[in-house]
Amino acid sequence: MAWNPFPYPDPAYQYTAASLEAAWPLLHGGDREPFPTNPLLVQAWIAFHAGEFERAARLGLDVGVNGYSVAHKAICIYAHYLERSPQKKLATFECVAERCERQQLEQPNNPSGYYWHAYALGQYSQGISVVKALAQGLGAKVRNSLDTAIRLAPQRADAHIALGVYHAEILDKVGAMIGGLTYGVKKEECYKQFETAIALTPESAIARVRYARAMMMLEGKKKQAEAIGLCEVAARCAIHDAMERLDVDAAKRELEEEKQ
């Protein structure tokens, strides 16, 4: 597919191998990825942080299964934020999910293979409708992968965010009774997952954006002031790379919508 370019190229997002390693804990507080030892993967991550998502994906995939973490992150962030075709988005997320299933067989202890599997299936589910996805049994697959990712990497904040979204989406679509009995989802657990994610990554814009959306989904006007507050903080978060720029843009859009 033809990839749309990252619209905000900035020299501040251009890292060298040395500066990337120094900034790594800050850039990867959400996914807890280890710094790569393969020079090709260092270059792939440099491309990712600069917003060169296609180059990052290609470099990662060229390495093979050890490059799937950077490749899948680049592909999924690109598809979520920059791909305009709904059909291409669905096909992209489906492809990532399938590749992650193979990764899980080869690297059963790598939390990335489970997290990106859940993320891709979650995005695919939203694309076809959550209710339809639940009927196809995708909800259980998402939950199993998120539970495994968190078991393998309890401090992986992005997995806690995704689990919070999982609870919120199902509660919103099927209600508390069916959601609780059939899927084991609870409003309190949803909020707990977001609070955990924010505690693990206090500077995360996307954790606050998703938390705000969950609040509005589950409680509407009762939580509007709190949701707006979360989005206001998210919109002021520091930006260190291309993904964070896209996250903060999302926070600003969410803030405008919540205030309407």
Side-chain angles (χ1 to χ4, degrees):
M1 65 179 182
W3 293 54
N4 299 315
F6 172 63
Y8 313 113
D10 191 316
Y13 311 152
Q14 296 281 350
Y15 290 88
T16 64
S19 65
L20 177 66
E21 186 169 13
W24 193 262
L26 177 66
L27 293 169
H28 289 271
D31 62 18
R32 302 291 169 139
E33 280 288 330
F35 188 78
T37 56
N38 185 325
L40 287 176
L41 292 182
V42 173
Q43 292 305 311
W45 281 113
I46 287 172
F48 171 82
H49 292 296
E52 298 170 10
F53 298 122
E54 182 175 14
R55 174 172 163 76
R58 292 190 186 284
L59 286 171
L61 292 176
D62 284 348
V63 169
V65 68
N66 289 330
Y68 280 3
S69 293
V70 62
H72 289 161
K73 188 164 188 171
I75 292 166
C76 286
I77 296 303
Y78 168 80
H80 177 67
Y81 281 122
L82 300 178
E83 178 53 60
R84 292 185 285 270
S85 165
Q87 294 77 19
K88 286 182 180 179
K89 279 190 179 188
L90 285 180
T92 297
F93 289 127
E94 194 171 24
C95 181
V96 169
E98 289 173 356
R99 198 159 43 229
C100 282
E101 289 173 4
R102 297 198 297 272
Q103 182 182 9
Q104 290 168 12
L105 294 175
E106 292 188 47
Q107 297 182 331
N109 295 317
N110 186 344
S112 179
Y114 299 95
Y115 172 75
W116 289 111
H117 180 251
Y119 182 96
L121 279 184
Q123 293 290 321
Y124 178 83
S125 298
Q126 290 179 15
I128 66 170
S129 96
V130 171
V131 172
K132 187 181 292 186
L134 291 174
Q136 294 178 12
L138 298 184
K141 291 185 176 183
V142 171
R143 181 63 183 267
N144 289 339
S145 281
L146 287 176
D147 286 345
T148 303
I150 290 172
R151 177 176 58 79
L152 292 170
Q155 292 188 308
R156 185 164 179 144
D158 58 9
H160 290 284
I161 295 170
L163 188 52
V165 171
Y166 173 87
H167 282 270
E169 289 282 358
I170 294 179
L171 288 167
D172 179 55
K173 300 304 184 293
V174 305
M177 182 177 293
I178 295 175
L181 291 173
T182 307
Y183 302 103
V185 294
K186 298 177 181 178
K187 180 171 66 175
E188 297 77 13
E189 187 62 24
C190 169
Y191 291 168
K192 176 185 173 184
Q193 293 300 323
F194 284 114
E195 293 291 346
T196 298
I198 291 172
L200 289 168
T201 50
E203 299 301 314
S204 172
I206 200 61
R208 290 175 171 84
V209 171
R210 298 278 163 78
Y211 196 4
R213 286 179 189 168
M215 284 182 175
M216 293 301 293
M217 240 186 245
L218 299 179
E219 304 197 56
K221 295 291 185 181
K222 286 197 298 182
K223 288 284 187 178
Q224 186 175 29
E226 198 169 340
I228 288 173
L230 284 166
C231 289
E232 286 174 339
V233 174
R236 296 194 300 268
C237 283
I239 298 171
H240 304 98
D241 74 348
M243 185 184 77
E244 289 183 353
R245 174 62 192 270
L246 294 170
D247 289 345
V248 168
D249 276 6
K252 292 176 180 177
R253 288 193 302 272
E254 191 76 17
L255 185 58
E256 290 175 4
E257 291 175 11
E258 300 297 354
K259 286 182 174 180
Q260 289 178 358

